[in-house]
């Protein structure tokens, strides 16, 4: 149908504006970078003066505690303020595993934590990372509540082992580490089951041409 000279021109919806991407130097990424820088500081304090001086171990615990606190805040800020970046997605889990790995390996070297505990926890973390890549073509394995509880108990347990504790507190930290190991293995098996299921479902969808 031909429009008359006075008819309004056809209008098309304006393209949606693309929101600007957050810059690298935002508060969430700065906290992540700070946590990465704390890793060698924490390790140096842990091994200072032979590694068994209560004063230096207290300083090491303070560095470890600050790293754990920044882990909570940088993720929350990134999500609430729209500051999620590719750098943050990569650097945040690296920083988490670096500080935890430094604590576990350092404590085992000093003879305060059995090596089998360190091997179990680090093997689980590496295995989950590899599984995520194994299924990333088909789906993303979401973080579970059990995984978050595992991270919390690991942080508390390692922090207690960093301090020089005796008596009931030494017993309490051993119990906390035992809980952390059970959660580590249990959530690892749960992630493995999820990964196998998601991969099978993804392959089935591909075969159906979806």
């Amino acid at each position: 149908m031909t429009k008359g000279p006075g008819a309004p021109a056809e209008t098309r919806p304006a393209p949606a504006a693309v929101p600007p991407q957050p810059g690298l130097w935002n508060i969430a990424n700065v906290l992540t970078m700070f946590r990465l820088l704390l890793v060698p500081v924490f390790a140096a304090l842990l091994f200072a003066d032979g590694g068994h001086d209560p004063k230096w171990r207290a300083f090491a615990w303070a560095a470890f505690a600050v790293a754990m606190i920044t882990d909570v805040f940088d993720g929350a800020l990134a999500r609430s303020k729209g500051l999620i970046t590719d750098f943050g997605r990569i650097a945040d889990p690296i920083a988490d595993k670096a500080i935890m790995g430094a604590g576990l390996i350092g404590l085992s070297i000093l003879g305060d934590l059995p090596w089998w505990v360190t091997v179990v926890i680090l093997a689980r973390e590496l295995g989950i990372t590899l599984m995520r890549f194994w299924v990333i073509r088909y789906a993303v394995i979401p973080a579970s509540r059990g995984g978050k509880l595992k991270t919390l108990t690991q942080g508390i347990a390692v922090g207690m082992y960093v301090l020089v504790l005796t008596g009931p507190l030494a017993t309490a930290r051993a119990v906390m580490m035992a809980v952390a190991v059970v959660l580590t293995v249990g959530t690892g098996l749960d992630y493995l089951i999820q990964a196998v299921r998601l991969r099978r479902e993804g392959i089935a969808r591909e075969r159906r041409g979806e």
Side-chain angles (χ1 to χ4, degrees):
M1 181 177 180
T2 306
K3 294 182 180 180
E10 182 180 355
T11 59
R12 296 181 180 177
V18 178
Q21 294 298 309
L24 174 65
W25 293 100
N26 62 65
I27 183 62
N29 285 348
V30 169
L31 287 175
T32 300
M33 294 176 198
F34 178 66
R35 191 159 76 258
L36 282 168
L37 292 175
L38 274 178
V39 175
V41 174
F42 163 69
L45 292 171
L46 183 63
F47 285 98
D49 199 16
H52 295 286
D53 186 299
K55 177 184 67 177
W56 288 109
R57 293 287 284 263
F59 287 140
W61 175 87
F64 184 82
V66 170
M68 292 295 99
I69 292 171
T70 59
D71 179 31
V72 174
F73 280 103
D74 64 0
L77 285 170
R79 289 186 294 271
S80 64
K81 303 295 184 182
L83 301 176
I84 298 175
T85 63
D86 291 339
F87 172 83
R89 290 190 183 96
I90 296 172
D92 184 67
I94 290 176
D96 297 343
K97 289 174 175 58
I99 191 72
M100 188 62 66
L104 291 166
I105 294 172
L107 289 168
S108 293
I109 290 174
L110 292 171
D112 295 331
L113 185 67
W115 273 106
W116 71 264
V117 173
T118 295
V119 170
V120 166
I121 293 177
L122 294 184
R124 184 268 190 195
E125 298 302 330
L126 177 60
I128 295 301
T129 300
L130 294 176
M131 275 194 295
R132 288 185 186 276
F133 284 109
W134 186 52
V135 301
I136 197 170
R137 175 180 173 183
Y138 307 104
V140 175
I141 304 177
S144 65
R145 291 184 179 180
K148 294 177 181 178
L149 181 60
K150 175 270 304 178
T151 301
L152 176 63
T153 55
Q154 281 183 3
I156 294 173
V158 171
M160 293 179 74
Y161 269 86
V162 170
L163 291 170
V164 178
L165 302 177
T166 57
L169 288 176
T171 302
R173 74 181 181 183
V175 171
M176 182 61 70
M177 184 59 77
V179 172
V181 170
V182 170
L183 287 173
T184 296
V185 174
T187 56
L189 291 174
D190 180 59
Y191 277 121
L192 175 60
I193 293 170
Q194 286 189 64
V196 172
R197 176 178 57 81
L198 290 171
R199 184 175 174 85
R200 284 178 177 173
E201 291 175 353
I203 292 173
R205 285 194 301 270
E206 281 189 345
R207 289 174 177 173
R208 292 194 301 266
E210 295 180 6

